[in-house]
Amino acid sequence: MVPTSALPSSTTCAVVGCGPAGAILGFLLARAGIDVVVLEKHGDFLRDFRGDTVHPSTLELMDELGLADEFLKLPHSRVSRVQLQTTAGETLRLSLERLPTKFRFIAFMPQWDFLEFITRRASSFPTFVLLRGAEVTRLIERDGVIRGVVFRRDGLEHELQARITVGADGRTAVTRADAALPLIETSPPIDVLWFRVSRRPDEAEAVAGRIGPGRLMVMLNRNEYWQVAFVIARGQADAIRARGLDEFRREVVAVAPELAERVQEIRTWDDVKLLVVRVDRLQRWYRRGYLAIGDAAHAMSPIGGVGINVAIQDAVVAANALWLPLSQGEVGEDVLAGVQQRRQRQVRLIQSFQTFVQERFLKRTLESRRTPSIPWLMRVLLSTPILRDIPPRLIALGFNRPHIESPARDRR
Ligand SMILES: Cc1cc2nc3c(=O)[nH]c(=O)nc-3n(C[C@H](O)[C@H](O)[C@H](O)COP(=O)(O)OP(=O)(O)OC[C@H]3O[C@@H](n4cnc5c(N)ncnc54)[C@H](O)[C@@H]3O)c2cc1C
């Protein structure tokens, strides 16, 4: 932990937020020899479940950095096939086994382990500083240009001047609000209730999707337990809570009878976390001296578990674009515009796919009182040989995938 007496007052790049986007950007810039300070409001990475799907696109990037082998030594589980099953016995399968990549699986790894791994490696570069417990409260603006941030640590306010400030502070970003960039919002028809129940060693499936009349649930294998996403209609969380925990447990068992005894492990509503699903994107990701990336630029729906991976790809593109101008002086608006241009088509395409699934499948399933059937369009898409690899490819690899172009300088 950097002591208050040693807090930096200026740097080349200030990165606000040490989630996947901020951690990777900090790592890549420091690796290229750029002074970077990453400010994280929390004291550690151990928070509530935040999503932990590391896709082949991210594993390929780790491989380019020479870190994949070490990274995959961390405890994780692997998923190559995903199966959704209706209560009527109909199944829908998605396979990553034919994808054109070295890593034909999704690695499920707690986000805190991922962040700890990256920041520890970043700390081996002399130009990397991570300030934990540093909450950014506003941007510093002079003559229409963002010149750094004001942050609070241990009850005291400090200023950090920077040539460029990157907002990687997530979907409720303070920086993007302060930068007053226009936001395009959508209203997804779903929210998600997350909880966990224990998993038996003989339960083989890695991801278990369950669909019943008016209900939809996905269970993610986390070795000792299932992390369960119970999908609900938008804004229904209070009504579900009002019906009581016993009724909620019954709803869970209706789609996953094998959990009949284990639902008692949900003891209070504190064990059930609400994710209010947001799908939005900035119309413009930048202004002079400031760039937003990751969820701060575009919150993604949980469908496909792409959020972390898209955020990391943003960070790679930002590092590719920023390292050289930062090593030479100011960063022009054209450089920042280039980052948005390079990333926005993929973000729009994935959000459109997610909206399609939400509206055409999830919403209809939640509204139906009959035993649902898999929509014919999805069945055709996932069973026709020349089409079936398109959705998994889009989810697992994205398209126009960035590669690491920023150089590697000396370690400490
Ligand atoms: C319950 C849940 C489940 C999810 N499931 C998945 C999944 O399975 N797969 C997937 O890919 N994605 C999932 N996501 C989404 C995924 O977590 C995000 O898309 C991803 O973490 C975005 O990365 P980011 O770095 O842009 O932002 P974040 O991960 O949100 O990181 C932002 C960071 O900024 C910090 N911060 C915020 N404000 C400030 C401030 N003012 N000053 C300093 N620091 C600040 C925060 O503490 C945080 O560490 C899930 C999200 C949630 C909430």
Side-chain angles (χ1 to χ4, degrees):
M1 185 99 167
V2 179
T4 305
S5 56
L7 285 177
S9 57
S10 72
T11 184
T12 303
C13 180
V15 178
V16 184
C18 196
I24 292 284
L25 179 61
F27 174 92
L28 290 173
L29 289 180
R31 175 176 171 271
I34 306 293
D35 278 321
V36 56
V37 175
V38 182
L39 302 106
E40 169 54 51
K41 69 178 175 185
H42 288 102
D44 59 40
F45 299 129
L46 292 170
R47 294 162 227 154
D48 275 345
F49 172 67
R50 306 276 308 287
D52 50 6
T53 48
V54 181
H55 284 192
S57 61
T58 298
L59 293 170
E60 294 254 7
L61 289 169
M62 300 297 272
D63 203 34
E64 285 182 33
L65 290 168
L67 295 175
D69 290 343
E70 211 183 330
F71 179 69
L72 287 170
K73 283 188 189 136
L74 295 175
H76 67 280
S77 45
R78 298 180 181 198
V79 172
S80 299
R81 272 176 286 177
V82 176
Q83 176 165 305
L84 281 180
Q85 192 179 329
T86 69
T87 45
E90 210 184 351
T91 55
L92 179 76
R93 289 189 188 85
L94 241 95
S95 171
L96 274 63
E97 287 160 323
R98 290 178 297 272
L99 293 186
T101 166
K102 187 171 163 187
F103 305 98
R104 294 188 175 132
F105 58 87
I106 294 173
F108 283 73
M109 181 182 294
Q111 209 182 99
W112 47 84
D113 286 346
F114 176 82
L115 297 176
E116 206 58 64
F117 177 86
I118 295 297
T119 52
R120 199 163 296 158
R121 292 312 132 320
S123 301
S124 68
F125 301 114
T127 55
F128 179 83
V129 175
L130 170 61
L131 293 183
R132 296 178 194 258
E135 179 167 12
V136 170
T137 52
R138 62 184 171 84
L139 298 171
I140 299 171
E141 183 177 342
R142 264 195 311 273
D143 307 323
V145 184
I146 305 303
R147 303 281 185 190
V149 296
V150 174
F151 66 98
R152 201 180 299 125
R153 203 168 87 146
D154 297 331
L156 296 174
E157 268 206 349
H158 307 270
E159 278 195 13
L160 177 68
Q161 311 279 336
R163 222 177 278 165
I164 183 97
T165 300
V166 178
D169 41 346
R171 60 198 204 135
T172 55
V174 167
T175 58
R176 87 170 173 199
D178 212 22
L181 295 172
L183 186 68
I184 303 166
E185 288 182 272
T186 67
S187 43
I190 56 161
D191 289 327
V192 179
L193 295 174
W194 287 101
F195 61 91
R196 54 167 80 170
V197 289
S198 56
R199 182 180 158 271
R200 296 189 180 130
D202 60 329
E203 289 174 317
E205 277 173 296
V207 177
R210 297 280 191 272
I211 311 166
R215 299 184 190 96
L216 208 148
M217 199 171 95
V218 180
M219 297 156 62
L220 309 174
N221 177 347
R222 296 290 296 270
N223 297 326
E224 316 82 64
Y225 61 90
W226 291 107
Q227 183 75 48
V228 185
F230 191 86
V231 182
I232 60 172
R234 178 115 196 139
Q236 286 303 301
D238 284 344
I240 290 172
R241 286 193 199 105
R243 288 201 289 274
L245 209 47
D246 279 340
E247 178 55 26
F248 178 64
R249 292 188 191 109
R250 264 194 294 277
E251 292 214 16
V252 171
V253 174
V255 274
E258 72 272 29
L259 299 183
E261 285 161 26
R262 284 172 277 172
V263 283
Q264 296 305 325
E265 294 166 17
I266 314 169
R267 287 182 212 291
T268 71
W269 283 114
D270 288 343
D271 297 332
V272 183
K273 308 276 185 242
L274 169 66
L275 170 66
V276 175
V277 173
R278 282 173 73 156
V279 181
D280 61 33
R281 60 178 179 269
L282 287 174
Q283 218 165 357
R284 190 182 150 108
W285 296 20
Y286 63 92
R287 51 180 286 191
R288 284 181 69 197
Y290 174 82
L291 173 70
I293 60 169
D295 274 19
H298 46 73
M300 312 298 282
S301 161
I303 292 166
V306 293
I308 296 167
N309 306 280
V310 174
I312 287 172
Q313 292 188 349
D314 285 359
V316 169
V317 170
N320 288 347
L322 292 176
W323 76 269
L324 187 59
L326 280 175
S327 62
Q328 293 172 342
E330 293 291 316
V331 180
E333 267 191 294
D334 55 326
V335 173
L336 305 178
V339 175
Q340 172 174 356
Q341 208 173 5
R342 176 84 163 81
R343 295 297 300 146
Q344 68 185 2
R345 269 186 56 220
Q346 173 161 9
V347 167
R348 265 194 228 146
L349 187 76
I350 295 174
Q351 287 185 336
S352 304
F353 171 74
Q354 292 177 324
T355 302
F356 172 80
V357 175
Q358 281 171 183
E359 296 293 334
R360 298 291 291 272
F361 180 49
L362 305 190
K363 183 167 182 268
R364 287 183 188 182
T365 300
L366 293 176
E367 284 170 355
S368 164
R369 292 299 122 205
R370 286 180 296 142
T371 301
S373 57
I374 311 274
W376 68 268
L377 189 60
M378 265 196 192
R379 248 184 292 128
V380 170
L381 189 61
L382 292 170
S383 59
T384 309
I386 54 164
L387 300 176
R388 67 186 175 191
D389 292 335
I390 296 173
R393 186 176 178 149
L394 180 66
I395 290 169
L397 288 169
F399 73 95
N400 199 11
R401 197 166 56 78
H403 296 279
I404 289 157
E405 292 161 18
S406 50
R409 298 265 189 267
D410 297 339
R411 288 173 186 268
R412 261 188 246 272

